[in-house]
Amino acid sequence: MPEGIEARLQEFDRKLRDGHFELLRQFLAKDYFGYSPGPGEPAASDRITDLVTDLKAALPDLTVAFDNIAVDAEGNATAEVTVQGTHKNELWGVPGSGDAVGWTGPVSIRAIGDRFAVRLDDLATPQRVGLVRQLRLVNPADEMDQPPHFPVVWPEFLLRLVFTGEVGDRPCSHLDQITVSDPPVSVCEQCVESDHIWPALRMCLVCGFVGCCDTSTNRHMAQHYQETGHCIFRSIRDDEGWIWCYEDDAFFDKAMLDRVG
Ligand SMILES: [Zn+2]
Ligand SMILES: [Zn+2]
Ligand SMILES: [Zn+2]
């Protein structure tokens, strides 16, 4: 029943344009776009509501809108989402700048009953970091090889959103290769040798190698993957529990390891 879906989507859009973010849970599905939440995993509607609530606190004039809504015969929809507002207050460790920020990108929308699962599409790198860069959560493009300017505390589902388009876990088929849990060193030894600095460190979960991240000058973890085929790594920071897999483009929470055993 695509007509009903389109009408419901238009209604969702009107509520968002009017700033009725308290109604998000009435429109958003518990399911993620690509899968249903696993046991113990928060619902997609909860994570998106948390994200928008934080954004609204930092950008009091926040607006979200869907344009160019198109629904196909199966009831799947595409649209362009636009997020706008003035960054007045602290957001995840970054002070308000007073700057107007705005971002537009394509989304896919799947109807589940009278609710919706949403995924950001077309996540080419410059596009996907557009809004987070305007919010100064990441450094300017020409300073990505530098340590972060602000002590950003990323909600992990925001990182997943930036990397994969979804606020939920994406599966990885390499979990059985994990043998290491704690980093043996806390520097990129290859960068130290050549007198380079790095923004962040990653640890290979197959062998324990520690190397600099993909925005560093030398990208030693990416090089390690190319040389060894070890594709699964995590942030070295104890307060960051996420894991990334190069092969699957999977980004997921450490807690997933417990869920899959
Ligand atoms: Zn994998
Ligand atoms: Zn390095
Ligand atoms: Zn390795």
Side-chain angles (χ1 to χ4, degrees), residues 188 191 212 218 220:
C188 179
C191 275
C212 51
N218 295 318
H220 280 128

Coordinates of all heavy atoms in Angstrom, one line a residue, residues 188 191 212 218 220, ligand 2:
C188 N 52.4 4.5 17.8 CA 52.6 3.9 16.5 C 54.2 3.8 16.3 O 54.8 4.9 16.1 CB 52.0 4.7 15.4 SG 52.4 3.9 13.7
C191 N 55.7 5.3 13.2 CA 55.7 6.7 13.1 C 56.7 7.3 14.1 O 57.3 8.3 13.8 CB 54.3 7.3 13.5 SG 53.1 7.3 12.1
C212 N 48.8 3.7 13.3 CA 48.1 4.9 13.3 C 46.9 4.8 12.3 O 46.8 3.9 11.5 CB 49.0 6.1 12.8 SG 49.9 5.8 11.4
N218 N 50.6 8.5 7.6 CA 51.2 7.2 7.2 C 50.2 6.0 7.1 O 50.6 5.0 6.4 CB 52.4 6.8 8.1 CG 53.5 7.8 8.0 OD1 53.8 8.3 6.9 ND2 54.0 8.2 9.1
H220 N 49.3 3.5 9.0 CA 50.1 2.3 9.2 C 49.1 1.1 9.5 O 49.5 0.0 9.2 CB 51.1 2.5 10.4 CG 52.3 3.1 9.9 ND1 52.9 4.2 10.5 CD2 53.2 2.9 8.9 CE1 54.0 4.6 9.9 NE2 54.2 3.8 8.9
Ligands
ZN2 ZN 52.0 5.3 12.0

